[in-house]
Amino acid sequence: MTYGAITAIESNRKIKSFLLIFFGLLVFLSNAPRLLAQNRIAIPAQINPSHPRLVTNAQNGKDLLTKLIESEAWAKTTYQNIDNEIKPYVERHQTDSTWIVSRLQMYWKEHYTNIYIKNGIYAYASGKAPVPTVRFTGARDASTAYSLPALEDIKPYMDLDGKIHLQNKAIPGKPWEWVDQSKTGRIIEAININIMNKARDAAMIYWYTGNEKYAKFAYDIFNTYVTGIYYRDEPIDLNHGHDQTLVGLSSFEVIHEDIIEPVTACYDLLYNYIDKNHKEKKPLYAEALKKWADIIIKNGVPFNNWDLIEARFIANIALVLDDDNQYTDGKGCQYYLDQVLNKNSIRQWAIVDLLKKGYDPDTGIWSECPGYSVNVLSDFTGFVDFFDRTLNIDLLPKIPVLAKAVLAQAQYLYPNGFIVGFGDTHYGPLPTRGIEDMIRNARLYHKTEQEMIYTRMLKTIQQIGVENTREETPKRSSFSELFANQAVTISEKIPAGKPRDYLTASFWSPNVSWMVLRNGLDVNNGLMISQAGSSGNHAHANGIAMELYGKGFILAPEGGIGGSYFQADYAEYYSQFPAHNTVVVDGISSYPVMKSNHPLQLIACYPQSGSVDGYFRNVTFSDLNFLEPETNACQNRLMSIIRTGDSSGYYIDIFRSRKKFGRDKYHDYIYHNLGQQVILSDNLNRTLELKTTDKLTFANSELIGYDYWWDKKSITSSDDFKARFDLQVPGRQPVAMNMWMKGYPDREIFSVKAPPSRSWRNNEMIPDSVANLPLPTVVVRQNGEAWNKPFAAVFEPSSGITGSTISKISTLTNNGTDSSSVGLLVENKNGLNDYIIASADTVTANYQDITLKGTYGVVRLKAGTPNFLFLGNGYNLQKGGYGLWSDKQSSATLSFNDQQLYYTADQEVTLSVPDNYIRVKSVILSYELRNKSITINGERAIVRNKKIVRFKLPAMPLTKIFIKHS
């Protein structure tokens, strides 16, 4: 267990003891799945018959709401706003009870019972019920040319030969038209949800005040809709295809049966009114709700966020039903709770099993992209809170992986407080609902240590990136928050932790093929790389994709999801290689998206994933492999962050790519950067003379996504080149990404404009005016293979204040036997010179007097003398008598700081230093580790005509060492 949150708390003995026990239990359970499967969650044989019990409770719910309204201004305002909004409709209802009801989208004339769908759209309907039935929605895709109308603009009993009256926003003047239902997207269900929300709000005010005007209004809507659902059957897919396994009673996808939440809340709050005035209808309502739940259990997808959303809908229905013994079929509250918590069906897994299958037991990361994962976590902790509130059942001991998952979600964060963007994700702040739920649970069940852990985390997360990039969190202002078991109050006695306790220097989660490297967590000066493959749900076809951060922004972004999953731009571009920072082979790299199974392979990283201390902080790196299936190509991406000062540093990107059996046509390196322009130049800062080209197009048998690029220009060049991407955000200093790339023969460099990233929205981090700009993009085409002629790039983010801190980048000449290796010299304005060597093979590479046998080596000179030697996953690295040697591939560092020596290694390593001790008999190395003093005698030797002293050292964290003589 290496999470920083745990390490930060170790000084507190009580917390440390708790963590050892708590996370020891996690490890035990994760390694004993049979035991976990048998750990059935018990359900009470009898449920408290009093209502409400879903959104609040009958015993003290009113008192709690009164206290909240009196003590919290936002709650008072929220309640008043709800009442003010609903009151005019309620008053009108007293004299015109048809006005609001007639706006519901129903089959008012034909009373259809059977719905038929085809290719994700409504086809037709048949059958005849004795009452109006609920109109099915128009299409699975929400995109439509028509606008969602205001209630006042909806025609009463709208049903002209099956058509509905809507405003066409795609035509100048936005005329109103009678529209075929199949062209209306999800407008129909949106209208009904809007009206049902008003019924729920009115039911709440009735429950709180006893005013039956509100009850009548709510009941008439509820009764019309639920009676209409009772007579409706499950829609039929005329293709007998996948859609049949997804469809619900009101929506094409059971996860979009969102109207269930206001329906069940309304019923719960109106229960006593209905029991008194319309008791004869209760069996019908129960059967309608149970049919709805049965279809949700029958359909859907079990292995991702769908399962959880469906479970929430089923649990809502369960909590408004009576006990099982009140129904002849035995299917009541307990039955449906058991379906959610303990039972598995083909498309609905039990919560316990879903947790076990969905979360990586080692990392705590959910097997979907971050945009879905953070909401899944909130849903899971929301279930804990739900059962805390409604049944006084503590689910957390039964699902302990949640404790790790809540801590792990912080790893998604950039230094500016926004989550990474791979897959179907939007950039945005990390939701803190899960952390708050853990605090609520701790308070309710008096778990002092748990409260300490998550209070520290919450306070820390709230501080990350807050100084420049996030607005103050708005106060709660929704119906649901009035009944959220009271807003969690945070103890002032518990201090915040440190960001580095939660955001580690490296993090690898194999279930989603996601690698993070960080160096520094300051908003403006922190550096971070996020790399992702295509494993897990909501993944894209992107090979080894990457994002880069700098100066407060995600400068090299992901592409997002485009218009929607069902639009051409998603299928052709946003989910495909051309929208990502990656390499395409022969112009055709692709594979299935969404539920993808094309993972990356982690070869090495430094420091080890999740490490919080004991490592060398100036260098982080990762080495990832990928098999590109379309062309059967091997791809390797080595990335690194090298820190040159508290406010400066740069990225290394070395991407190798080749087809397994040769016959490589070409490999395209794609790099998108946020900004208004890109300027390409040579190493002498002369602007490259690019010419318009018609290459990069589907017409050349390349991916259709290439056709989404425009303003394409290119130049053929074997020389090194530079690119500067300029970004200007209103109110912020100008930012640039400075790119340098090593040249090779048979190479063509392109500048293109790409569609804007759809990962940004709602003016978060950057204004929409900037987010909607085309992305300046560089494409580098290497004809033939790109393994021995890899794409070797250096990226440095800079701001208007400091500008670039790199003075020169040049290529080193290889005098060794490794034809695949790359040698770079990065000269910095502060006098630091970094010699960087990267190899694909474990053969010796020689550059000047530096020798590397391994994956990665960095030698820094300061004023001509070594400042550090960094060996990454290698056998040896040597420079001027200083060296690191190992029999196994190791990562090790020897560094000099104020004339002090520091050393670290993850394997046994032989350290060598120049033998400058000519007149002494012996040389001794000593250090202190874990309160023990250790001394090692040096062994003199001559290597390549250099006299050295060698010391065999064990694996150890970063430790100060002393070399003495006698």
Side-chain angles (χ1 to χ4, degrees):
M1 189 65 58
T2 56
Y3 284 97
I6 297 174
T7 300
I9 298 170
E10 284 182 343
S11 59
N12 184 317
R13 293 183 179 179
K14 284 185 65 180
I15 299 177
K16 182 177 179 181
S17 175
F18 166 77
L19 289 169
L20 290 172
I21 296 171
F22 187 62
F23 287 102
L25 177 62
L26 284 180
V27 172
F28 173 73
L29 287 175
S30 66
N31 288 311
R34 286 182 299 173
L35 176 62
L36 187 59
Q38 294 169 2
N39 198 13
R40 184 180 181 277
I41 298 173
I43 297 169
Q46 289 186 323
I47 305 297
N48 188 331
S50 301
H51 288 263
R53 61 193 185 200
L54 177 62
V55 297
T56 185
N57 65 77
Q59 288 68 45
N60 63 348
K62 291 182 183 179
D63 292 339
L64 289 173
L65 182 57
T66 298
K67 182 179 179 181
L68 187 65
I69 291 172
E70 291 175 349
S71 61
E72 297 283 350
W74 69 263
K76 181 178 181 180
T77 300
T78 297
Y79 181 84
Q80 289 176 340
N81 288 343
I82 290 173
D83 193 16
N84 291 340
E85 181 179 343
I86 201 69
K87 184 177 291 184
Y89 296 103
V90 172
E91 293 299 331
R92 174 187 281 167
H93 196 73
Q94 306 313 304
T95 56
D96 184 1
S97 61
T98 65
W99 192 92
I100 189 70
V101 173
S102 67
R103 267 66 184 174
L104 284 168
Q105 297 305 289
M106 311 283 287
Y107 294 112
W108 291 109
K109 296 180 180 178
E110 303 299 335
H111 300 186
Y112 292 132
T113 58
N114 306 313
I115 306 299
Y116 299 88
I117 60 177
K118 188 173 184 179
N119 300 325
I121 62 173
Y122 174 84
Y124 62 90
S126 67
K128 187 76 172 181
V131 297
T133 54
V134 173
R135 184 187 288 269
F136 193 66
T137 202
R140 187 178 178 189
D141 187 359
S143 298
T144 175
Y146 299 92
S147 300
L148 177 67
L151 277 179
E152 287 70 20
D153 292 329
I154 299 173
K155 289 184 175 294
Y157 305 109
M158 187 163 57
D159 189 0
L160 178 64
D161 297 326
K163 298 181 178 181
I164 62 176
H165 201 239
L166 296 173
Q167 198 171 15
N168 193 330
K169 60 186 177 183
I171 296 178
K174 300 179 180 179
W176 289 85
E177 303 172 355
W178 284 99
V179 186
D180 187 84
Q181 184 170 329
S182 64
K183 298 179 180 180
T184 62
R186 294 174 55 199
I187 287 177
I188 289 169
E189 57 189 293
I191 293 172
N192 285 341
I193 289 171
N194 182 20
I195 295 172
M196 191 57 65
N197 281 339
K198 296 188 184 310
R200 175 207 60 197
D201 293 349
M204 182 268 289
I205 295 174
Y206 156 72
W207 162 78
Y208 188 59
T209 66
N211 188 333
E212 292 202 354
K213 288 183 179 180
Y214 290 85
K216 180 177 181 354
F217 173 85
Y219 174 76
D220 287 349
I221 296 171
F222 172 84
N223 178 61
T224 303
Y225 188 90
V226 178
T227 302
I229 279 288
Y230 173 82
Y231 285 102
R232 274 274 323 283
D233 291 327
E234 177 184 354
I236 298 171
D237 178 17
L238 294 172
N239 289 330
H240 304 289
H242 184 52
D243 283 351
Q244 190 66 68
T245 71
L246 306 177
V247 71
L249 274 178
S250 73
S251 182
F252 272 85
E253 298 176 354
V254 287
I255 60 165
H256 288 310
E257 297 280 43
D258 303 300
I259 199 168
I260 285 176
E261 294 191 310
V263 163
T264 52
C266 182
Y267 187 39
D268 190 40
L269 293 161
L270 279 182
Y271 190 90
N272 296 328
Y273 174 86
I274 293 172
D275 195 57
K276 176 183 176 182
N277 297 289
H278 304 283
K279 193 170 187 176
E280 75 286 354
K281 294 295 295 284
K282 285 172 58 181
L284 181 148
Y285 301 150
E287 290 307 309
L289 292 173
K290 292 197 294 183
K291 175 170 65 174
W292 219 340
D294 290 339
I295 291 174
I296 293 172
I297 293 169
K298 173 179 174 288
N299 293 337
V301 180
F303 49 76
N304 58 29
N305 64 303
W306 280 55
D307 193 276
L308 204 55
I309 296 169
E310 295 158 34
R312 187 174 71 242
F313 292 153
I314 299 164
N316 276 29
I317 289 172
L319 261 292
V320 298
L321 294 175
D322 295 330
D323 288 343
D324 288 355
N325 58 20
Q326 298 299 305
Y327 303 103
T328 55
D329 61 2
K331 295 165 62 174
C333 178
Q334 292 90 346
Y335 172 85
Y336 287 104
L337 289 179
D338 196 43
Q339 294 295 309
V340 167
L341 296 175
N342 300 308
K343 294 295 176 63
N344 285 320
S345 59
I346 188 64
R347 294 188 178 89
Q348 183 69 38
W349 292 347
I351 291 294
V352 168
D353 287 337
L354 177 62
L355 277 157
K356 184 174 64 178
K357 295 172 182 177
Y359 278 107
D360 185 305
D362 296 320
T363 67
I365 294 296
W366 178 253
S367 58
E368 296 191 82
C369 69
Y372 281 76
S373 175
V374 295
N375 293 318
V376 165
L377 181 61
S378 295
D379 283 342
F380 272 122
T381 63
F383 259 102
V384 173
D385 181 57
F386 180 87
F387 282 90
D388 285 345
R389 288 188 293 107
T390 58
L391 297 174
N392 294 318
I393 295 175
D394 185 7
L395 291 183
L396 200 57
K398 305 289 186 180
I399 48 178
V401 73
L402 274 189
K404 178 182 286 189
V406 173
L407 293 172
Q409 67 174 333
Q411 296 284 10
Y412 287 132
L413 288 176
Y414 281 104
N416 65 2
F418 285 76
I419 64 172
V420 298
F422 67 86
D424 295 332
T425 297
H426 291 99
Y427 295 127
L430 182 73
T432 57
R433 163 70 188 272
I435 311 172
E436 293 174 358
D437 284 340
M438 296 296 286
I439 298 171
R440 282 194 189 95
N441 177 268
R443 286 276 181 86
L444 183 62
Y445 300 106
H446 310 294
K447 304 174 185 178
T448 305
E449 293 86 354
Q450 179 178 313
E451 182 181 352
M452 289 182 183
I453 292 170
Y454 295 101
T455 300
R456 265 185 196 175
M457 182 185 186
L458 179 63
K459 289 183 176 181
T460 306
I461 297 301
Q462 290 172 338
Q463 294 174 3
I464 293 175
V466 72
E467 64 178 272
N468 285 326
T469 58
R470 296 202 305 201
E471 299 292 333
E472 180 180 353
T473 302
K475 297 295 183 182
R476 297 170 174 85
S477 58
S478 66
F479 168 89
S480 61
E481 289 297 343
L482 290 176
F483 302 98
N485 201 27
Q486 304 299 300
V488 61
T489 55
I490 306 302
S491 172
E492 296 181 1
K493 297 179 181 179
I494 302 174
K498 297 177 180 178
R500 60 184 289 251
D501 299 326
Y502 305 92
L503 284 64
T504 57
S506 69
F507 187 77
W508 165 249
S509 192
N511 64 331
V512 286
S513 282
W514 174 50
M515 182 77 226
V516 172
L517 296 176
R518 295 184 178 90
N519 201 306
L521 296 174
D522 178 79
V523 171
N524 293 311
N525 300 318
L527 298 170
M528 178 171 157
I529 303 168
S530 175
Q531 296 180 82
S534 305
S535 186
N537 201 37
H538 286 278
H540 291 177
N542 52 229
I544 313 175
M546 65 95 166
E547 305 166 63
L548 296 180
Y549 176 87
K551 303 304 176 185
F553 299 100
I554 301 160
L555 293 176
E558 280 281 8
I561 65 172
S564 81
Y565 304 133
F566 308 103
Q567 296 298 305
D569 64 346
Y570 178 81
E572 296 172 349
Y573 183 75
Y574 283 101
S575 68
Q576 298 297 315
F577 274 69
H580 299 82
N581 300 312
T582 189
V583 168
V584 178
V585 184
D586 289 352
I588 60 172
S589 295
S590 185
Y591 44 83
V593 303
M594 197 60 72
K595 182 67 176 74
S596 189
N597 297 286
H598 297 280
L600 306 180
Q601 179 187 10
L602 176 64
I603 305 303
C605 71
Y606 184 85
Q608 290 185 358
S609 176
S611 297
V612 296
D613 218 337
Y615 59 89
F616 180 64
R617 297 188 180 277
N618 280 5
V619 180
T620 54
F621 93 99
S622 65
D623 187 24
L624 298 169
N625 278 355
F626 177 65
L627 175 62
E628 198 284 286
E630 184 73 10
T631 60
N632 199 21
C634 299
Q635 296 193 319
N636 172 268
R637 192 166 207 167
L638 185 148
M639 297 202 73
S640 177
I641 306 175
I642 300 179
R643 176 65 65 178
T644 56
D646 291 340
S647 61
S648 59
Y650 56 90
Y651 300 105
I652 298 292
D653 182 20
I654 299 174
F655 203 129
R656 295 180 171 87
S657 185
R658 67 181 175 191
K659 294 166 74 171
K660 272 190 172 185
F661 303 109
R663 300 188 299 278
D664 300 70
K665 295 179 181 178
Y666 50 83
H667 298 255
D668 291 339
Y669 177 97
I670 303 169
Y671 179 75
H672 308 272
N673 199 93
L674 181 65
Q676 282 83 2
Q677 66 173 354
V678 59
I679 300 172
L680 277 71
S681 61
D682 63 16
N683 251 1
L684 297 177
N685 295 321
R686 297 173 299 194
T687 302
L688 295 181
E689 296 183 3
L690 283 74
K691 296 182 179 180
T692 301
T693 180
D694 58 4
K695 293 183 179 180
L696 305 178
T697 175
F698 180 69
N700 289 338
S701 299
E702 294 167 337
L703 292 166
I704 198 170
Y706 279 33
D707 280 347
Y708 281 74
W709 296 333
W710 73 99
D711 195 14
K712 295 178 286 188
K713 301 173 184 177
S714 76
I715 186 173
T716 299
S717 174
S718 61
D719 297 330
D720 304 344
F721 77 91
K722 296 191 292 187
R724 191 186 78 235
F725 298 85
D726 294 318
L727 170 66
Q728 179 63 64
V729 175
R732 303 285 296 275
Q733 296 175 7
V735 170
M737 177 63 91
N738 306 282
M739 174 187 179
W740 176 95
M741 181 172 278
K742 174 178 167 55
Y744 281 103
D746 301 316
R747 182 166 280 188
E748 189 169 4
I749 305 160
F750 297 83
S751 171
V752 306
K753 290 180 180 176
S757 167
R758 294 306 179 193
S759 294
W760 284 287
R761 59 181 177 180
N762 302 327
N763 294 295
E764 288 190 315
M765 185 173 24
I766 57 174
D768 290 346
S769 59
V770 176
N772 291 328
L773 294 175
L775 287 175
T777 300
V778 169
V779 180
V780 182
R781 173 165 290 180
Q782 180 63 53
N783 291 296
E785 56 84 20
W787 193 267
N788 294 314
K789 294 179 285 186
F791 304 101
V794 178
F795 294 92
E796 183 198 18
S798 62
S799 66
I801 294 179
T802 60
S804 175
T805 62
I806 295 175
S807 59
K808 183 181 179 182
I809 303 173
S810 55
T811 300
L812 299 174
T813 301
N814 181 12
N815 300 315
T817 59
D818 185 357
S819 61
S820 71
S821 69
V822 173
L824 307 176
L825 170 58
V826 180
E827 300 177 52
N828 299 281
K829 294 177 181 178
N830 60 6
L832 301 177
N833 290 339
D834 294 339
Y835 293 80
I836 300 159
I837 306 172
S839 297
D841 302 308
T842 54
V843 294
T844 300
N846 291 322
Y847 291 87
Q848 297 181 8
D849 65 338
I850 300 172
T851 299
L852 171 71
K853 183 179 180 182
T855 301
Y856 187 50
V858 182
V859 175
R860 171 169 291 173
L861 301 185
K862 185 175 184 180
T865 60
N867 181 262
F868 69 75
L869 278 70
F870 175 85
L871 174 64
N873 193 41
Y875 293 97
N876 68 72
L877 176 65
Q878 307 165 58
K879 161 67 178 174
Y882 292 99
L884 300 162
W885 311 69
S886 179
D887 294 332
K888 299 178 181 179
Q889 284 188 282
S890 308
S891 290
T893 305
L894 174 67
S895 62
F896 304 79
N897 186 3
D898 294 330
Q899 298 182 339
Q900 299 292 329
L901 283 175
Y902 290 84
Y903 167 84
T904 180
D906 59 10
Q907 302 278 353
E908 183 180 77
V909 167
T910 297
L911 167 67
S912 71
V913 298
D915 189 355
N916 298 323
Y917 311 96
I918 305 301
R919 298 182 180 180
V920 300
K921 292 183 178 181
S922 62
V923 185
I924 300 170
L925 184 150
S926 64
Y927 60 93
E928 288 191 5
L929 187 63
R930 301 182 184 94
N931 298 320
K932 290 183 179 181
S933 295
I934 299 164
T935 299
I936 298 174
N937 292 321
E939 175 190 350
R940 284 188 154 107
I942 297 176
V943 176
R944 294 185 180 176
N945 298 319
K946 293 184 183 293
K947 293 182 178 181
I948 64 170
V949 184
R950 296 188 295 211
F951 307 91
K952 185 169 287 187
L953 298 173
M956 66 175 72
L958 191 66
T959 303
K960 183 186 291 187
I961 60 175
F962 302 88
I963 298 179
K964 303 176 183 179
H965 58 83
S966 61

